[in-house]
Tab-separated table of all heavy atoms in Angstrom:
chain	number	residue	atom	x	y	z
A	1	MET	N	120.698	241.358	228.539
A	1	MET	CA	120.001	240.507	227.562
A	1	MET	C	119.532	239.234	228.249
A	1	MET	O	120.282	238.603	228.976
A	1	MET	CB	120.960	240.156	226.422
A	1	MET	CG	120.282	239.503	225.242
A	1	MET	SD	121.484	238.944	224.003
A	1	MET	CE	122.012	237.383	224.714
A	2	ALA	N	118.295	238.867	228.056
A	2	ALA	CA	117.772	237.636	228.633
A	2	ALA	C	117.895	236.506	227.621
A	2	ALA	O	117.684	236.699	226.431
A	2	ALA	CB	116.317	237.811	229.036
A	3	MET	N	118.267	235.354	228.119
A	3	MET	CA	118.330	234.193	227.224
A	3	MET	C	117.686	233.000	227.917
A	3	MET	O	117.648	232.920	229.146
A	3	MET	CB	119.779	233.878	226.860
A	3	MET	CG	120.647	233.463	228.029
A	3	MET	SD	122.374	233.226	227.550
A	3	MET	CE	123.005	234.904	227.688
A	4	GLN	N	117.173	232.115	227.117
A	4	GLN	CA	116.582	230.880	227.636
A	4	GLN	C	117.357	229.718	227.057
A	4	GLN	O	117.558	229.634	225.856
A	4	GLN	CB	115.122	230.767	227.199
A	4	GLN	CG	114.183	231.627	228.017
A	4	GLN	CD	112.741	231.162	227.914
A	4	GLN	OE1	112.333	230.663	226.882
A	4	GLN	NE2	111.985	231.343	228.978
A	5	LEU	N	117.803	228.850	227.967
A	5	LEU	CA	118.573	227.692	227.524
A	5	LEU	C	117.887	226.422	227.990
A	5	LEU	O	117.467	226.308	229.141
A	5	LEU	CB	119.988	227.753	228.122
A	5	LEU	CG	120.820	228.982	227.738
A	5	LEU	CD1	122.044	229.074	228.626
A	5	LEU	CD2	121.227	228.915	226.288
A	6	LYS	N	117.799	225.470	227.090
A	6	LYS	CA	117.248	224.155	227.435
A	6	LYS	C	118.383	223.304	227.986
A	6	LYS	O	119.395	223.096	227.310
A	6	LYS	CB	116.656	223.523	226.173
A	6	LYS	CG	116.152	222.114	226.375
A	6	LYS	CD	114.710	222.107	226.809
A	6	LYS	CE	114.170	220.663	226.818
A	6	LYS	NZ	112.934	220.556	227.590
A	7	VAL	N	118.208	222.847	229.241
A	7	VAL	CA	119.240	222.035	229.894
A	7	VAL	C	118.605	220.715	230.342
A	7	VAL	O	118.105	220.588	231.456
A	7	VAL	CB	119.860	222.794	231.091
A	7	VAL	CG1	121.015	221.995	231.705
A	7	VAL	CG2	120.368	224.175	230.660
A	8	PRO	N	118.613	219.721	229.440
A	8	PRO	CA	117.884	218.463	229.701
A	8	PRO	C	118.415	217.686	230.898
A	8	PRO	O	117.713	216.832	231.438
A	8	PRO	CB	118.086	217.658	228.408
A	8	PRO	CG	118.605	218.607	227.398
A	8	PRO	CD	119.285	219.720	228.137
A	9	SER	N	119.643	217.977	231.325
A	9	SER	CA	120.233	217.218	232.429
A	9	SER	C	119.714	217.658	233.801
A	9	SER	O	120.036	217.033	234.808
A	9	SER	CB	121.761	217.333	232.377
A	9	SER	OG	122.148	218.697	232.395
A	10	ILE	N	118.913	218.718	233.853
A	10	ILE	CA	118.345	219.149	235.145
A	10	ILE	C	117.327	218.106	235.611
A	10	ILE	O	116.377	217.796	234.900
A	10	ILE	CB	117.651	220.524	235.018
A	10	ILE	CG1	118.672	221.615	234.713
A	10	ILE	CG2	116.891	220.859	236.314
A	10	ILE	CD1	118.038	222.956	234.373
A	11	ALA	N	117.555	217.589	236.829
A	11	ALA	CA	116.655	216.554	237.357
A	11	ALA	C	115.955	216.985	238.635
A	11	ALA	O	114.918	216.435	238.985
A	11	ALA	CB	117.441	215.266	237.596
A	12	CYS	N	116.523	217.951	239.362
A	12	CYS	CA	115.948	218.318	240.658
A	12	CYS	C	116.391	219.711	241.063
A	12	CYS	O	117.165	220.358	240.355
A	12	CYS	CB	116.374	217.298	241.720
A	12	CYS	SG	118.145	217.357	242.064
A	13	GLY	N	115.917	220.140	242.232
A	13	GLY	CA	116.278	221.456	242.731
A	13	GLY	C	117.767	221.608	242.994
A	13	GLY	O	118.315	222.701	242.913
A	14	GLY	N	118.425	220.488	243.306
A	14	GLY	CA	119.873	220.530	243.531
A	14	GLY	C	120.613	220.930	242.265
A	14	GLY	O	121.567	221.708	242.306
A	15	CYS	N	120.161	220.394	241.142
A	15	CYS	CA	120.757	220.758	239.849
A	15	CYS	C	120.546	222.251	239.595
A	15	CYS	O	121.453	222.953	239.137
A	15	CYS	CB	120.099	219.978	238.710
A	15	CYS	SG	120.245	218.196	238.847
A	16	ALA	N	119.347	222.720	239.905
A	16	ALA	CA	119.024	224.133	239.704
A	16	ALA	C	119.952	225.010	240.532
A	16	ALA	O	120.468	226.019	240.045
A	16	ALA	CB	117.564	224.391	240.075
A	17	ASP	N	120.191	224.594	241.791
A	17	ASP	CA	121.096	225.343	242.666
A	17	ASP	C	122.516	225.368	242.111
A	17	ASP	O	123.179	226.401	242.110
A	17	ASP	CB	121.141	224.705	244.062
A	17	ASP	CG	119.959	225.120	244.913
A	17	ASP	OD1	119.186	225.993	244.465
A	17	ASP	OD2	119.825	224.584	246.016
A	18	THR	N	122.979	224.197	241.664
A	18	THR	CA	124.337	224.089	241.119
A	18	THR	C	124.519	225.053	239.954
A	18	THR	O	125.505	225.783	239.876
A	18	THR	CB	124.594	222.640	240.628
A	18	THR	OG1	124.427	221.751	241.729
A	18	THR	CG2	125.993	222.493	240.048
A	19	ILE	N	123.536	225.059	239.047
A	19	ILE	CA	123.623	225.899	237.853
A	19	ILE	C	123.532	227.376	238.232
A	19	ILE	O	124.302	228.209	237.727
A	19	ILE	CB	122.524	225.491	236.848
A	19	ILE	CG1	122.863	224.113	236.263
A	19	ILE	CG2	122.376	226.532	235.745
A	19	ILE	CD1	121.750	223.488	235.461
A	20	THR	N	122.605	227.693	239.128
A	20	THR	CA	122.440	229.090	239.546
A	20	THR	C	123.732	229.612	240.174
A	20	THR	O	124.200	230.712	239.837
A	20	THR	CB	121.278	229.206	240.553
A	20	THR	OG1	120.089	228.730	239.932
A	20	THR	CG2	121.078	230.650	240.996
A	21	LYS	N	124.322	228.805	241.082
A	21	LYS	CA	125.551	229.239	241.744
A	21	LYS	C	126.688	229.392	240.747
A	21	LYS	O	127.483	230.334	240.833
A	21	LYS	CB	125.941	228.245	242.840
A	21	LYS	CG	125.126	228.446	244.101
A	21	LYS	CD	125.521	227.426	245.177
A	21	LYS	CE	124.545	227.477	246.341
A	21	LYS	NZ	124.427	226.165	247.002
A	22	ALA	N	126.784	228.469	239.798
A	22	ALA	CA	127.873	228.518	238.820
A	22	ALA	C	127.775	229.789	237.979
A	22	ALA	O	128.779	230.460	237.725
A	22	ALA	CB	127.824	227.278	237.927
A	23	ILE	N	126.546	230.136	237.574
A	23	ILE	CA	126.377	231.334	236.742
A	23	ILE	C	126.658	232.594	237.564
A	23	ILE	O	127.346	233.507	237.102
A	23	ILE	CB	124.970	231.371	236.116
A	23	ILE	CG1	124.815	230.221	235.120
A	23	ILE	CG2	124.738	232.717	235.413
A	23	ILE	CD1	123.404	230.024	234.605
A	24	LYS	N	126.150	232.627	238.804
A	24	LYS	CA	126.372	233.811	239.636
A	24	LYS	C	127.839	233.952	240.033
A	24	LYS	O	128.332	235.057	240.243
A	24	LYS	CB	125.481	233.770	240.876
A	24	LYS	CG	124.032	234.114	240.529
A	24	LYS	CD	123.187	234.229	241.782
A	24	LYS	CE	121.749	234.556	241.482
A	24	LYS	NZ	121.526	235.957	241.114
A	25	ASN	N	128.521	232.822	240.115
A	25	ASN	CA	129.954	232.845	240.392
A	25	ASN	C	130.705	233.453	239.208
A	25	ASN	O	131.695	234.164	239.366
A	25	ASN	CB	130.425	231.407	240.630
A	25	ASN	CG	131.758	231.356	241.334
A	25	ASN	OD1	132.065	232.212	242.152
A	25	ASN	ND2	132.559	230.356	240.993
A	26	HIS	N	130.196	233.183	238.013
A	26	HIS	CA	130.787	233.704	236.788
A	26	HIS	C	130.461	235.189	236.637
A	26	HIS	O	131.315	235.996	236.249
A	26	HIS	CB	130.227	232.912	235.606
A	26	HIS	CG	130.688	233.385	234.268
A	26	HIS	ND1	131.952	233.181	233.795
A	26	HIS	CD2	130.041	234.072	233.302
A	26	HIS	CE1	132.063	233.714	232.595
A	26	HIS	NE2	130.937	234.270	232.267
A	27	GLU	N	129.215	235.539	236.931
A	27	GLU	CA	128.792	236.947	236.815
A	27	GLU	C	127.790	237.220	237.937
A	27	GLU	O	126.627	236.830	237.854
A	27	GLU	CB	128.150	237.209	235.447
A	27	GLU	CG	127.996	238.691	235.181
A	27	GLU	CD	126.838	239.010	234.249
A	27	GLU	OE1	126.315	238.113	233.585
A	27	GLU	OE2	126.453	240.191	234.240
A	28	SER	N	128.273	237.901	238.987
A	28	SER	CA	127.464	238.055	240.202
A	28	SER	C	126.164	238.809	239.949
A	28	SER	O	125.194	238.650	240.682
A	28	SER	CB	128.281	238.741	241.290
A	28	SER	OG	128.747	239.991	240.827
A	29	GLU	N	126.122	239.638	238.904
A	29	GLU	CA	124.921	240.428	238.647
A	29	GLU	C	123.872	239.674	237.836
A	29	GLU	O	122.776	240.200	237.609
A	29	GLU	CB	125.285	241.716	237.896
A	29	GLU	CG	125.986	242.729	238.781
A	29	GLU	CD	126.573	243.885	237.976
A	29	GLU	OE1	126.038	244.184	236.905
A	29	GLU	OE2	127.578	244.458	238.434
A	30	ALA	N	124.209	238.497	237.378
A	30	ALA	CA	123.262	237.750	236.548
A	30	ALA	C	122.021	237.378	237.345
A	30	ALA	O	122.091	237.080	238.535
A	30	ALA	CB	123.934	236.491	236.017
A	31	ASP	N	120.880	237.420	236.666
A	31	ASP	CA	119.634	236.984	237.284
A	31	ASP	C	119.282	235.632	236.666
A	31	ASP	O	119.131	235.518	235.451
A	31	ASP	CB	118.540	238.019	237.004
A	31	ASP	CG	117.247	237.650	237.694
A	31	ASP	OD1	117.289	237.399	238.908
A	31	ASP	OD2	116.205	237.595	237.027
A	32	VAL	N	119.204	234.603	237.513
A	32	VAL	CA	119.030	233.236	237.007
A	32	VAL	C	117.724	232.655	237.519
A	32	VAL	O	117.444	232.714	238.714
A	32	VAL	CB	120.191	232.324	237.458
A	32	VAL	CG1	120.074	230.946	236.818
A	32	VAL	CG2	121.535	232.960	237.136
A	33	GLN	N	116.939	232.102	236.616
A	33	GLN	CA	115.740	231.377	237.011
A	33	GLN	C	115.774	230.006	236.355
A	33	GLN	O	116.043	229.898	235.158
A	33	GLN	CB	114.488	232.140	236.562
A	33	GLN	CG	114.137	233.240	237.561
A	33	GLN	CD	113.088	234.191	237.039
A	33	GLN	OE1	112.497	233.964	235.999
A	33	GLN	NE2	112.879	235.268	237.773
A	34	VAL	N	115.519	228.977	237.153
A	34	VAL	CA	115.547	227.618	236.624
A	34	VAL	C	114.167	226.989	236.784
A	34	VAL	O	113.626	226.941	237.887
A	34	VAL	CB	116.602	226.753	237.336
A	34	VAL	CG1	116.637	225.351	236.734
A	34	VAL	CG2	117.983	227.405	237.243
A	35	ASP	N	113.610	226.543	235.688
A	35	ASP	CA	112.352	225.790	235.702
A	35	ASP	C	112.709	224.310	235.639
A	35	ASP	O	113.082	223.795	234.578
A	35	ASP	CB	111.496	226.209	234.499
A	35	ASP	CG	110.113	225.551	234.527
A	35	ASP	OD1	109.994	224.429	235.050
A	35	ASP	OD2	109.168	226.165	234.003
A	36	VAL	N	112.668	223.652	236.805
A	36	VAL	CA	113.125	222.257	236.885
A	36	VAL	C	112.230	221.356	236.033
A	36	VAL	O	112.712	220.446	235.343
A	36	VAL	CB	113.146	221.780	238.354
A	36	VAL	CG1	113.471	220.301	238.452
A	36	VAL	CG2	114.155	222.596	239.162
A	37	GLU	N	110.929	221.608	236.069
A	37	GLU	CA	109.997	220.750	235.340
A	37	GLU	C	110.212	220.837	233.819
A	37	GLU	O	110.246	219.825	233.126
A	37	GLU	CB	108.571	221.159	235.676
A	37	GLU	CG	107.601	219.995	235.713
A	37	GLU	CD	106.403	220.334	236.585
A	37	GLU	OE1	106.532	220.286	237.820
A	37	GLU	OE2	105.369	220.669	236.011
A	38	GLN	N	110.372	222.074	233.344
A	38	GLN	CA	110.556	222.274	231.889
A	38	GLN	C	112.026	222.149	231.474
A	38	GLN	O	112.335	222.141	230.282
A	38	GLN	CB	110.044	223.659	231.476
A	38	GLN	CG	108.588	223.936	231.826
A	38	GLN	CD	107.627	223.038	231.076
A	38	GLN	OE1	107.861	222.712	229.908
A	38	GLN	NE2	106.557	222.617	231.730
A	39	LYS	N	112.913	222.106	232.476
A	39	LYS	CA	114.365	222.039	232.226
A	39	LYS	C	114.857	223.236	231.408
A	39	LYS	O	115.650	223.099	230.464
A	39	LYS	CB	114.742	220.714	231.551
A	39	LYS	CG	114.278	219.495	232.351
A	39	LYS	CD	114.644	218.205	231.644
A	39	LYS	CE	113.962	216.982	232.269
A	39	LYS	NZ	114.371	216.692	233.635
A	40	ILE	N	114.339	224.395	231.784
A	40	ILE	CA	114.705	225.642	231.100
A	40	ILE	C	115.414	226.566	232.090
A	40	ILE	O	114.925	226.795	233.195
A	40	ILE	CB	113.454	226.372	230.563
A	40	ILE	CG1	112.696	225.524	229.548
A	40	ILE	CG2	113.841	227.741	229.978
A	40	ILE	CD1	113.228	225.551	228.144
A	41	VAL	N	116.564	227.078	231.667
A	41	VAL	CA	117.284	228.065	232.468
A	41	VAL	C	117.136	229.412	231.779
A	41	VAL	O	117.472	229.557	230.605
A	41	VAL	CB	118.786	227.695	232.578
A	41	VAL	CG1	119.538	228.746	233.387
A	41	VAL	CG2	118.955	226.318	233.223
A	42	THR	N	116.600	230.384	232.516
A	42	THR	CA	116.473	231.740	231.996
A	42	THR	C	117.506	232.606	232.695
A	42	THR	O	117.565	232.640	233.921
A	42	THR	CB	115.056	232.283	232.254
A	42	THR	OG1	114.108	231.374	231.698
A	42	THR	CG2	114.880	233.654	231.604
A	43	VAL	N	118.328	233.268	231.909
A	43	VAL	CA	119.411	234.072	232.465
A	43	VAL	C	119.320	235.488	231.914
A	43	VAL	O	119.259	235.694	230.697
A	43	VAL	CB	120.801	233.496	232.094
A	43	VAL	CG1	121.895	234.193	232.894
A	43	VAL	CG2	120.864	231.997	232.324
A	44	GLU	N	119.297	236.439	232.832
A	44	GLU	CA	119.381	237.853	232.458
A	44	GLU	C	120.813	238.262	232.754
A	44	GLU	O	121.229	238.289	233.911
A	44	GLU	CB	118.376	238.649	233.299
A	44	GLU	CG	118.419	240.155	233.079
A	44	GLU	CD	117.794	240.579	231.768
A	44	GLU	OE1	116.703	240.101	231.462
A	44	GLU	OE2	118.420	241.384	231.059
A	45	THR	N	121.579	238.524	231.718
A	45	THR	CA	123.014	238.705	231.918
A	45	THR	C	123.621	239.598	230.845
A	45	THR	O	123.059	239.758	229.757
A	45	THR	CB	123.730	237.331	231.869
A	45	THR	OG1	125.125	237.528	232.009
A	45	THR	CG2	123.461	236.594	230.564
A	46	LYS	N	124.787	240.142	231.188
A	46	LYS	CA	125.554	240.903	230.197
A	46	LYS	C	126.544	239.983	229.497
A	46	LYS	O	127.151	240.364	228.496
A	46	LYS	CB	126.315	242.046	230.883
A	46	LYS	CG	125.409	243.098	231.473
A	46	LYS	CD	126.239	244.284	231.983
A	46	LYS	CE	125.380	245.285	232.722
A	46	LYS	NZ	125.412	245.097	234.175
A	47	ALA	N	126.719	238.784	230.037
A	47	ALA	CA	127.665	237.849	229.432
A	47	ALA	C	127.076	237.256	228.146
A	47	ALA	O	125.866	237.304	227.925
A	47	ALA	CB	127.992	236.732	230.424
A	48	SER	N	127.939	236.710	227.310
A	48	SER	CA	127.477	236.127	226.054
A	48	SER	C	126.815	234.777	226.299
A	48	SER	O	127.101	234.101	227.293
A	48	SER	CB	128.654	235.945	225.089
A	48	SER	OG	129.495	234.909	225.550
A	49	GLU	N	125.932	234.408	225.378
A	49	GLU	CA	125.261	233.113	225.480
A	49	GLU	C	126.289	231.986	225.493
A	49	GLU	O	126.162	231.013	226.236
A	49	GLU	CB	124.293	232.948	224.296
A	49	GLU	CG	123.511	231.642	224.371
A	49	GLU	CD	122.322	231.614	223.416
A	49	GLU	OE1	121.740	232.673	223.147
A	49	GLU	OE2	121.988	230.511	222.948
A	50	GLU	N	127.332	232.154	224.691
A	50	GLU	CA	128.371	231.120	224.597
A	50	GLU	C	129.053	230.920	225.952
A	50	GLU	O	129.292	229.785	226.381
A	50	GLU	CB	129.390	231.533	223.524
A	50	GLU	CG	130.178	230.379	222.952
A	50	GLU	CD	129.296	229.193	222.543
A	50	GLU	OE1	128.294	229.383	221.815
A	50	GLU	OE2	129.611	228.079	222.986
A	51	SER	N	129.344	232.020	226.641
A	51	SER	CA	130.039	231.890	227.931
A	51	SER	C	129.122	231.267	228.979
A	51	SER	O	129.582	230.485	229.816
A	51	SER	CB	130.585	233.241	228.401
A	51	SER	OG	129.551	234.109	228.782
A	52	ILE	N	127.827	231.588	228.945
A	52	ILE	CA	126.895	230.986	229.904
A	52	ILE	C	126.771	229.484	229.627
A	52	ILE	O	126.749	228.667	230.549
A	52	ILE	CB	125.511	231.679	229.823
A	52	ILE	CG1	125.616	233.149	230.240
A	52	ILE	CG2	124.493	230.936	230.696
A	52	ILE	CD1	126.049	233.394	231.669
A	53	LYS	N	126.731	229.115	228.360
A	53	LYS	CA	126.685	227.687	228.010
A	53	LYS	C	127.910	226.962	228.548
A	53	LYS	O	127.820	225.847	229.052
A	53	LYS	CB	126.626	227.506	226.484
A	53	LYS	CG	125.238	227.744	225.894
A	53	LYS	CD	125.266	227.506	224.394
A	53	LYS	CE	123.906	227.741	223.765
A	53	LYS	NZ	123.948	227.667	222.293
A	54	GLN	N	129.057	227.615	228.438
A	54	GLN	CA	130.295	227.001	228.931
A	54	GLN	C	130.252	226.820	230.442
A	54	GLN	O	130.716	225.805	230.970
A	54	GLN	CB	131.503	227.857	228.534
A	54	GLN	CG	131.934	227.629	227.091
A	54	GLN	CD	133.024	228.593	226.640
A	54	GLN	OE1	133.634	229.271	227.457
A	54	GLN	NE2	133.250	228.663	225.340
A	55	VAL	N	129.690	227.822	231.150
A	55	VAL	CA	129.597	227.730	232.613
A	55	VAL	C	128.697	226.559	233.008
A	55	VAL	O	129.022	225.786	233.915
A	55	VAL	CB	129.056	229.059	233.200
A	55	VAL	CG1	128.659	228.890	234.659
A	55	VAL	CG2	130.090	230.164	233.055
A	56	ILE	N	127.569	226.415	232.314
A	56	ILE	CA	126.637	225.322	232.635
A	56	ILE	C	127.293	223.971	232.349
A	56	ILE	O	127.186	223.029	233.136
A	56	ILE	CB	125.317	225.488	231.845
A	56	ILE	CG1	124.589	226.765	232.314
A	56	ILE	CG2	124.421	224.266	232.029
A	56	ILE	CD1	123.368	227.125	231.477
A	57	THR	N	127.995	223.900	231.230
A	57	THR	CA	128.688	222.653	230.875
A	57	THR	C	129.764	222.329	231.903
A	57	THR	O	129.903	221.175	232.336
A	57	THR	CB	129.316	222.787	229.464
A	57	THR	OG1	128.281	223.118	228.544
A	57	THR	CG2	129.973	221.494	229.029
A	58	ALA	N	130.509	223.353	232.331
A	58	ALA	CA	131.575	223.155	233.316
A	58	ALA	C	131.000	222.693	234.664
A	58	ALA	O	131.682	222.028	235.440
A	58	ALA	CB	132.387	224.437	233.487
A	59	ALA	N	129.730	223.044	234.924
A	59	ALA	CA	129.079	222.625	236.169
A	59	ALA	C	128.550	221.192	236.061
A	59	ALA	O	127.915	220.692	236.985
A	59	ALA	CB	127.937	223.590	236.513
A	60	GLY	N	128.786	220.554	234.932
A	60	GLY	CA	128.437	219.148	234.769
A	60	GLY	C	127.097	218.915	234.090
A	60	GLY	O	126.574	217.796	234.116
A	61	HIS	N	126.561	219.979	233.459
A	61	HIS	CA	125.263	219.822	232.805
A	61	HIS	C	125.387	219.973	231.289
A	61	HIS	O	126.407	220.407	230.771
A	61	HIS	CB	124.263	220.830	233.389
A	61	HIS	CG	123.792	220.395	234.755
A	61	HIS	ND1	122.729	219.552	234.934
A	61	HIS	CD2	124.301	220.648	235.972
A	61	HIS	CE1	122.595	219.323	236.235
A	61	HIS	NE2	123.523	219.961	236.882
A	62	THR	N	124.331	219.578	230.624
A	62	THR	CA	124.339	219.552	229.164
A	62	THR	C	123.340	220.568	228.629
A	62	THR	O	122.160	220.513	228.965
A	62	THR	CB	123.917	218.152	228.672
A	62	THR	OG1	124.672	217.180	229.390
A	62	THR	CG2	124.177	218.004	227.179
A	63	VAL	N	123.823	221.482	227.808
A	63	VAL	CA	122.935	222.455	227.163
A	63	VAL	C	122.559	221.922	225.793
A	63	VAL	O	123.425	221.499	225.027
A	63	VAL	CB	123.616	223.833	227.023
A	63	VAL	CG1	122.656	224.837	226.397
A	63	VAL	CG2	124.111	224.341	228.360
A	64	GLU	N	121.270	221.941	225.518
A	64	GLU	CA	120.810	221.418	224.235
A	64	GLU	C	121.053	222.450	223.124
A	64	GLU	O	120.876	223.644	223.349
A	64	GLU	CB	119.316	221.118	224.326
A	64	GLU	CG	118.836	220.101	223.311
A	64	GLU	CD	117.404	219.661	223.629
A	64	GLU	OE1	116.481	220.392	223.257
A	64	GLU	OE2	117.242	218.610	224.278
B	1	CU	CU1	119.612	217.321	240.579
């Protein structure tokens, strides 16, 4: 299932890397795309939206 999450705390490519690594660490098969300009994280994953939100929050970012 693909989901799109608005993550307003993304400021640069480093943030994108942090989030991508955190999600892949949680679920190695997840496909993560981060649009830094739009601050949108697109995740193709079998995990629940709630768990992905928790991973992003745990990585120090804020999901809207
Ligand atoms: Cu950054």
Side-chain angles (χ1 to χ4, degrees):
M1 191 186 81
M3 64 184 86
Q4 282 200 327
L5 300 167
K6 175 89 172 163
V7 185
S9 56
I10 294 171
C12 67
C15 300
D17 279 353
T18 301
I19 290 169
T20 301
K21 281 179 190 150
I23 294 171
K24 284 187 180 284
N25 198 33
H26 177 73
E27 193 208 345
S28 57
E29 287 169 27
D31 183 52
V32 186
Q33 277 169 9
V34 182
D35 185 330
V36 174
E37 214 156 283
Q38 303 295 324
K39 304 179 191 295
I40 299 278
V41 179
T42 305
V43 191
E44 176 75 47
T45 178
K46 294 187 187 97
S48 71
E49 182 166 329
E50 202 48 50
S51 70
I52 296 297
K53 282 182 180 173
Q54 280 173 13
V55 167
I56 295 172
T57 303
H61 284 273
T62 311
V63 182
E64 203 169 82

